[in-house]
Amino acid sequence: MSMKKVEGNQPLLPGSTIGILGGGQLGKMIILEGKKMGYRFVTLDPAEDCPGSQVADRHIVADYDDLEAARLLAETSDLITYEFENVDDAVVKILEEDAFLPQGGELLRTTRHRLREKRALEEAGVPVAPYRRVQSREELLSGSQALGFPCVLKTATGGYDGKGQWVFPSKAEVEAFTELEPGREYVLEQWVSFAKEISVIAARSIRGEVAVFPPAWNIHFQQILHQSIVPAPVKSGILHHAEELARQVAEGLNVRGLIAVEMFLLHDGSLWVNELAPRPHNSGHYTLDACAVSQFEQQIRALSGLPLGSPRLLTPAVMVNILGEDVDRLRGQIRDFPPEIKVHWYGKRESRPGRKMGHLTVLGESTEEAMATVDRLGWNKSADNEKRS
Ligand code: AMP
């Protein structure tokens, strides 16, 4: 089997084949953007008719931990990337040894484990919420006493969209807690009374160049991202600081490709990093319609060794996720949508409540105007109006 590497400083040119582990909506959007640039794509996903397979040149139907399938992906691709971070260790090893995986395995190992991620952030000089490692009931009791209440317990691995998390308002709830699994690692965090949640996506190329997209203000509903509003309506000094933190993360963690940096903005203006994702991020979908290059194009540029594109914001925008329960509203409205709404539909066969089926990008002369369009069409689920002021 041949080792495929980008030779010297030679970029991987259009016409080459990019392999993607995962064929969900992120994979599909990477492909749609990469095809414009002239790349070919192979996807690997257990579902035959996944969003990615609908646009890929070739699709391998296999489980993510199928080593033979990983070898096939390695053989057929000049460069490999992934759309999720829980990549099996043995698969990472094959992809690193037999193929060109410019993002490497190290960042995956760091970002899929909350404790390792926090330590790496601290080493990079990036502030995080006060936390304790917890493995036993005693550590949970002493940790919560030290951090104060409320506090939140998270499994170190495997949680997403609020799953694997428990909030303790007081000591009584800690004492009554029975779900701690022996031998499992957890992170206990101080509960942050934040003013806003924001995220910043940075790209760092294999040549070491860094570009940072404008920060988005993220509103969650029932623990799933609901809206991303850009530019985030905060003081310019805070925007600048958020961009600098994302740059610091990209450089400090030796990122190649994209890193999505989720942050809490505190009432005193400080920023604490909550979570990282080493891939395109839902809160960066607005870049498809509102920036000079999208996060997906930027990822391909970063990994193939082409110069990074401009992350410049061309227009204010609000991204709204379309979940399974929103599909009927979309169907009822789409014929009459105003011209400043762009509809992205992922092409998933099955719709379920909470499943991300597509998204809207609502453009406007200002974020206020775009937010008003979202409100007028009934897409704003956030009952807490304070969160939108
Ligand atoms: P996570 O899985 O860590 O991204 O957490 C999901 C969501 O829970 C975040 O986007 C926040 O809205 C909330 N959350 C998580 N950790 C904290 C915390 N320490 N303080 C306040 N809210 C939190």
Side-chain angles (χ1 to χ4, degrees):
M1 209 171 290
S2 69
M3 290 271 285
K4 291 169 180 159
K5 300 272 161 186
V6 172
E7 297 291 338
N9 283 331
Q10 291 304 308
L12 190 80
L13 294 175
S16 313
T17 301
I18 298 177
I20 307 179
L21 207 53
Q25 66 265 24
L26 299 177
K28 180 180 182 184
M29 289 186 271
I30 296 172
I31 297 172
L32 289 174
E33 288 289 274
K35 285 227 154 197
K36 289 193 218 163
M37 301 163 77
Y39 290 96
R40 294 175 168 274
F41 288 90
V42 188
T43 43
L44 187 159
D45 192 287
E48 189 154 356
D49 186 28
C50 58
S53 74
Q54 296 163 20
V55 290
D57 296 278
R58 180 172 176 186
H59 181 53
I60 301 167
V61 181
D63 287 332
Y64 296 129
D65 57 0
D66 180 332
L67 303 187
E68 272 315 304
R71 282 193 192 96
L72 182 60
L73 185 70
E75 263 170 40
T76 45
S77 310
D78 298 304
L79 179 161
I80 293 180
T81 185
Y82 46 77
E83 61 151 25
F84 55 87
E85 45 268 65
N86 286 318
V87 186
D88 184 84
D89 274 332
V91 168
V92 171
K93 192 159 178 279
I94 288 174
L95 299 180
E96 276 191 301
E97 285 175 3
D98 295 355
F100 179 43
L101 183 73
Q103 288 155 289
E106 171 105 17
L107 188 62
L108 280 173
R109 277 187 283 276
T110 306
T111 52
R112 67 165 182 243
H113 191 283
R114 287 184 191 274
L115 275 167
R116 283 205 285 267
E117 182 173 281
K118 284 193 193 299
R119 289 184 197 124
L121 286 167
E122 286 173 316
E123 275 166 29
V126 173
V128 297
Y131 71 95
R132 292 285 186 284
R133 172 177 183 258
V134 164
Q135 268 192 308
S136 65
R137 218 182 137 64
E138 294 67 45
E139 284 174 349
L140 178 61
L141 282 164
S142 62
S144 60
Q145 286 301 112
L147 295 171
F149 294 96
C151 51
V152 53
L153 184 72
K154 303 178 181 180
T155 51
T157 55
Y160 65 95
D161 285 344
K163 295 186 178 70
Q165 298 193 9
W166 301 266
V167 179
F168 301 116
S170 73
K171 194 176 170 193
E173 286 79 10
V174 175
E175 282 170 346
F177 187 67
T178 54
E179 287 176 58
L180 205 74
E181 285 176 44
R184 185 157 196 179
E185 257 186 310
Y186 297 83
V187 183
L188 185 68
E189 280 175 28
Q190 196 176 84
W191 186 255
V192 183
S193 133
F194 53 79
K196 283 188 168 59
E197 290 192 272
I198 60 177
S199 62
V200 187
I201 294 165
R204 184 163 174 272
S205 78
I206 55 173
R207 314 194 311 189
E209 192 189 348
V210 177
V212 181
F213 284 101
W217 169 28
N218 296 327
I219 297 170
H220 294 83
F221 183 73
Q222 292 174 349
Q223 295 185 301
I224 300 177
L225 181 65
H226 170 36
Q227 296 181 48
S228 293
I229 295 165
V230 194
V234 298
K235 290 193 184 107
S236 64
I238 291 173
L239 291 181
H240 184 70
H241 183 203
E243 287 170 10
E244 279 314 304
L245 279 179
R247 179 179 291 274
Q248 212 173 318
V249 171
E251 281 169 353
L253 275 70
N254 198 22
V255 169
R256 273 147 297 164
L258 298 183
I259 189 84
V261 185
E262 293 187 67
M263 309 176 191
F264 296 130
L265 169 62
L266 278 61
H267 292 282
D268 68 359
S270 36
L271 289 164
W272 287 350
V273 170
N274 173 40
E275 219 184 10
L276 304 177
R279 52 170 171 76
H281 194 256
N282 193 170
S283 69
H285 291 357
Y286 78 88
T287 60
L288 279 166
D289 301 308
C291 290
V293 298
S294 68
Q295 60 170 344
F296 306 100
E297 176 175 345
Q298 197 75 304
Q299 179 176 17
I300 294 169
R301 285 171 177 250
L303 298 180
S304 62
L306 292 172
L308 292 181
S310 164
R312 190 161 59 89
L313 190 70
L314 304 175
T315 169
V318 176
M319 189 285 311
V320 187
N321 268 332
I322 305 168
L323 304 182
E325 58 270 36
D326 307 320
V327 172
D328 286 345
R329 178 185 290 118
L330 179 77
R331 285 195 205 287
Q333 290 186 347
I334 192 167
R335 288 175 195 83
D336 304 314
F337 265 166
E340 53 274 1
I341 296 191
K342 306 265 298 220
V343 179
H344 296 255
W345 190 247
Y346 305 147
K348 294 182 184 176
R349 274 271 166 266
E350 210 185 311
S351 165
R352 284 193 300 274
R355 191 171 197 208
K356 292 172 183 169
M357 302 302 292
H359 70 267
L360 305 176
T361 317
V362 182
L363 308 176
E365 292 291 321
S366 62
T367 48
E368 289 75 18
E369 190 188 291
M371 282 157 65
T373 306
V374 173
D375 289 356
R376 182 163 52 80
L377 294 171
W379 283 88
N380 180 19
K381 298 178 189 173
S382 165
D384 183 354
N385 280 326
E386 263 186 17
K387 290 204 162 176
R388 282 272 308 250
S389 58

